[in-house]
Amino acid sequence: MAELSEKQEQNVGESNKVHRSRSGFWFGIITLLIIIALAGAGFFLFTQLREEQASLDSEVNKGDMQLLELSKQISGYQSQLASVQSQLATLEASIAGKDTHFTKTLEDFSRLHNEKLDSTRKELNTAIQQVQRQLSKTRGDWLIADAEYLLSTANERLHLIGDVNTARQALEAADQRLRESGDAAVFKVREQIVKDIAALNRVEEPDIVGMYSSIQTQASQIDNLTLFLPYAGKTPTPPKAPEKPAGESQEGQDLIDSALSGLEEYVTIRHTEQPIKATLTQEEAQFIKEQLRLKLESAKVALVQRNETLYQAGLADAKKWAEQHFMQDAQTKSFIAELDRMKGIQIHSQYPDISLSLKMLRDIVKLRLETDKAMPSPEPAAEPKSKQEPQPKQEPEPAAAPAPTTPESAPAAQ
């Protein structure tokens, strides 16, 4: 049994050795196959890696080219950015200059505006003060101001237009205003106004209406004046007295006289000392008369305007025209004599100076000071108040004159 077991163990060991050798062989073959597979896989991977490396190298080269292009673009962008920055700096400088200019302009405008506002405030304050002064005036002040206006109007009407009546009425109205004012300082002004009125009363005014009517009457008589009726080629001959024959009887002379008196109804004989130029037509005769009428019209206009020079020139032209173109018969001589009479009348008189009263009234403050100095001092006037009782009753009476100066009376005075 022991031997059988040992033989079985030997058989088993040998079978195990054979089995192990066969398994090792197949293991080696398998290992070799694995190694060959791994080598092929490694070669394949190596070739793939080389291809990938080549592709990567080409891509890297492309990337380098792109990087170069990008670097070029970046450098261009940088140059553009630098130019844009320089432009921005220029714009900032110009904006800063314009900002300073606008700021300065705004400051100047605000300064001028403030100056105008200050001047406007001053003018408004002055106007308000004037209005306050006007409102604070009493009725006497308004009457004095009205009298000053009337005196100024009298001077203007007298020296600019020559209207003596209106100037006299304005002086009388101014004297009435000063009398109603109750101001003692205007007494000297009223004295001067009285003198001015007396001076105006001594002024002799020409009768403008009568002179105008006379010129109008002369113009209406122009159609009745006789023009020269000359004939071409004729010279004026002096008139000759008819000669009486020695042997003619008185009866024959009577017959001749009766025949001549009959012819006078149909024939008119005129003599002239002026040279004859040409025969006048009806239109030329009418033109001569219209020219004379026009000269008289210009004289009338100058008479109404009180223009002495044009008035005298118009009458002189009318006289000269009448002497040259009309027959010097009785009617024409009467016409020229009337022109000479009107020419001798002066239409502009020498007016007196009435401006002294206006000057005195404009200096009313000085007159009031002089009046206050001329009045007695208040100290002696205070003594009777303690001694006599009736005197205080008389003092409120002069004070009652300015008392009615209410707002209702001021507009009435104005």
Side-chain angles (χ1 to χ4, degrees):
M1 288 302 289
E3 289 177 1
L4 288 174
S5 65
E6 285 178 4
K7 285 182 180 178
Q8 290 179 353
E9 288 178 1
Q10 287 178 357
N11 291 327
V12 171
E14 287 177 0
S15 61
N16 287 336
K17 287 179 181 178
V18 174
H19 182 73
R20 287 180 180 176
S21 61
R22 288 179 179 178
S23 64
F25 174 76
W26 289 106
F27 181 76
I29 292 172
I30 293 170
T31 303
L32 181 60
L33 291 174
I34 291 171
I35 290 170
I36 292 170
L38 290 173
F43 180 75
F44 178 76
L45 290 174
F46 179 71
T47 55
Q48 291 291 328
L49 288 175
R50 287 187 66 180
E51 290 177 0
E52 290 180 359
Q53 186 177 3
S55 64
L56 288 174
D57 290 336
S58 62
E59 290 179 358
V60 167
N61 292 328
K62 291 180 180 179
D64 292 338
M65 294 297 292
Q66 291 178 357
L67 286 175
L68 290 174
E69 292 178 357
L70 287 174
S71 63
K72 290 180 181 179
Q73 291 179 0
I74 289 170
S75 62
Y77 292 152
Q78 287 177 351
S79 62
Q80 292 179 0
L81 182 61
S83 63
V84 169
Q85 288 178 351
S86 63
Q87 291 177 1
L88 286 174
T90 306
L91 287 174
E92 288 177 355
S94 63
I95 289 171
K98 290 181 179 180
D99 191 10
T100 55
H101 175 68
F102 289 151
T103 305
K104 185 178 179 182
T105 305
L106 184 60
E107 290 177 354
D108 295 339
F109 179 76
S110 61
R111 180 173 53 80
L112 292 174
H113 185 65
N114 292 330
E115 290 178 356
K116 289 182 179 180
L117 284 176
D118 294 337
S119 62
T120 305
R121 289 194 190 95
K122 291 180 181 178
E123 291 177 358
L124 286 175
N125 292 330
T126 304
I128 290 170
Q129 290 176 2
Q130 291 179 357
V131 171
Q132 289 177 352
R133 290 195 212 99
Q134 294 291 332
L135 293 175
S136 62
K137 285 184 177 181
T138 61
R139 183 172 182 273
D141 295 331
W142 287 109
L143 291 172
I144 291 173
D146 194 9
E148 182 180 352
Y149 171 74
L150 290 170
L151 291 177
S152 177
T153 303
N155 281 271
E156 292 176 358
R157 299 289 296 183
L158 179 64
H159 295 289
L160 296 181
I161 304 177
D163 192 353
V164 179
N165 293 327
T166 305
R168 186 187 302 109
Q169 293 175 2
L171 290 176
E172 292 174 355
D175 182 66
Q176 181 68 21
R177 297 293 191 281
L178 294 177
R179 185 181 69 83
E180 293 176 359
S181 66
D183 195 342
V186 300
F187 181 73
K188 294 182 178 179
V189 182
R190 293 187 63 190
E191 287 183 348
Q192 185 61 38
I193 291 175
V194 172
K195 294 179 182 179
D196 295 338
I197 293 174
L200 289 179
N201 291 330
R202 291 192 296 270
V203 175
E204 296 181 359
E205 291 187 88
D207 187 7
I208 302 297
V209 177
M211 295 172 65
Y212 186 90
S213 301
S214 299
I215 296 176
Q216 187 70 22
T217 303
Q218 295 301 111
S220 63
Q221 294 178 1
I222 292 176
D223 294 332
N224 299 327
L225 299 180
T226 305
L227 288 167
F228 293 124
L229 299 176
Y231 295 91
K234 297 283 185 176
T235 55
T237 55
K240 296 181 179 179
E243 298 180 356
K244 296 181 180 180
E248 189 176 359
S249 64
Q250 185 66 28
E251 184 179 356
Q253 183 66 31
D254 293 338
L255 292 174
I256 292 172
D257 293 338
S258 61
L260 290 175
S261 62
L263 289 174
E264 285 179 356
E265 297 179 358
Y266 305 99
V267 179
T268 302
I269 300 174
R270 296 188 178 91
H271 300 278
T272 178
E273 300 298 331
Q274 297 182 359
I276 299 173
K277 297 180 180 180
T279 305
L280 292 176
T281 62
Q282 186 68 25
E283 291 78 9
E284 290 174 344
Q286 188 65 28
F287 175 76
I288 291 172
K289 292 181 179 180
E290 290 298 329
Q291 286 293 318
L292 181 58
R293 189 175 287 107
L294 183 62
K295 295 179 186 298
L296 291 179
E297 289 293 331
S298 64
K300 287 195 296 183
V301 173
L303 177 65
V304 173
Q305 295 178 353
R306 301 293 184 95
N307 194 331
E308 183 77 27
T309 305
L310 293 180
Y311 173 74
Q312 297 292 337
L315 291 180
D317 291 342
K319 178 183 176 182
K320 185 177 179 181
W321 191 265
E323 290 175 350
Q324 289 179 354
H325 297 88
F326 292 89
M327 293 293 296
Q328 299 300 315
D329 53 4
Q331 193 170 4
T332 304
K333 289 180 180 179
S334 175
F335 180 84
I336 294 174
E338 184 65 19
L339 293 181
D340 290 333
R341 185 188 69 81
M342 289 187 293
K343 187 178 178 182
I345 301 174
Q346 292 184 355
I347 62 175
H348 195 281
S349 303
Q350 187 68 27
Y351 300 117
D353 185 12
I354 60 173
S355 61
L356 182 58
S357 58
L358 179 61
K359 295 178 182 178
M360 294 172 64
L361 188 59
R362 286 176 177 174
D363 200 5
I364 188 65
V365 178
K366 182 179 178 181
L367 293 176
R368 286 173 178 172
L369 292 175
E370 293 178 356
T371 304
D372 293 339
K373 291 180 180 179
M375 292 178 65
S377 59
E379 295 179 359
E383 294 178 358
K385 292 180 182 180
S386 59
K387 295 180 181 180
Q388 298 178 1
E389 296 179 356
Q391 289 184 359
K393 297 181 180 179
Q394 298 177 358
E395 291 181 0
E397 294 179 359
T405 59
T406 59
E408 297 177 354
S409 61
Q414 186 175 3

